[in-house]
Amino acid sequence: QVQLVESGGGLVQAGGSLRLSCAASGRTFSSYAMGWFRQAPGKEREFVAGVSWSGGRTHYADSVKGRFTISRDNAKNTVYLQMNSLKPEDTAVYYCARGSSGTEPAHYDYWGQGTQVTVSS
């Protein structure tokens, strides 16, 4: 099975930046798309950003376009989420996941444990 471990979360003031990392191990990593999702208390898990297996295509939720950047380094089996200009509404647990395509959580088969991002005002 695939194991995904997120890191890099923390507490940051509005306008600040964080870089999340997701390290993968186990079965094939490079041939799958990867995505970042987030879930705030009382909310459903929502798509944040995705990257194709080659890293050549990316997709972002409208709420984070221009502020977040997803990338991957297949040699390191790692996917990143650079988050700039953070807002309090970005506060959530962030999860990385392996998927084939799409933005729905049901299309992703392996998930990390999540890392907390808290943005204060």
Side-chain angles (χ1 to χ4, degrees):
Q1 298 188 78
V2 174
Q3 298 176 20
L4 304 174
V5 180
E6 302 96 335
S7 63
L11 174 64
V12 64
Q13 292 185 338
S17 299
L18 284 173
R19 188 194 191 200
L20 306 184
S21 298
C22 174
S25 63
R27 304 182 74 176
T28 303
F29 169 79
S30 62
S31 62
Y32 289 87
M34 298 292 294
W36 285 96
F37 292 75
R38 66 188 182 187
Q39 187 167 24
K43 307 286 187 179
E44 293 188 342
R45 192 167 299 188
E46 66 175 353
F47 173 81
V48 176
V51 61
S52 64
W53 70 269
S54 68
R57 295 187 297 277
T58 58
H59 181 66
Y60 300 91
D62 288 342
S63 60
V64 306
K65 284 182 179 178
R67 300 189 297 119
F68 291 10
T69 302
I70 188 171
S71 62
R72 68 190 299 164
D73 186 340
N74 289 342
K76 297 181 179 179
N77 288 342
T78 302
V79 62
Y80 305 95
L81 185 68
Q82 178 67 46
M83 305 185 295
N84 298 327
S85 301
L86 283 162
K87 305 174 181 180
E89 52 262 45
D90 295 318
T91 296
V93 176
Y94 283 70
Y95 301 88
C96 69
R98 188 191 78 171
S100 57
S101 64
T103 60
E104 296 297 322
H107 295 161
Y108 291 76
D109 55 359
Y110 289 96
W111 295 80
Q113 295 298 308
T115 185
Q116 177 71 47
V117 172
T118 302
V119 184
S120 64
S121 59

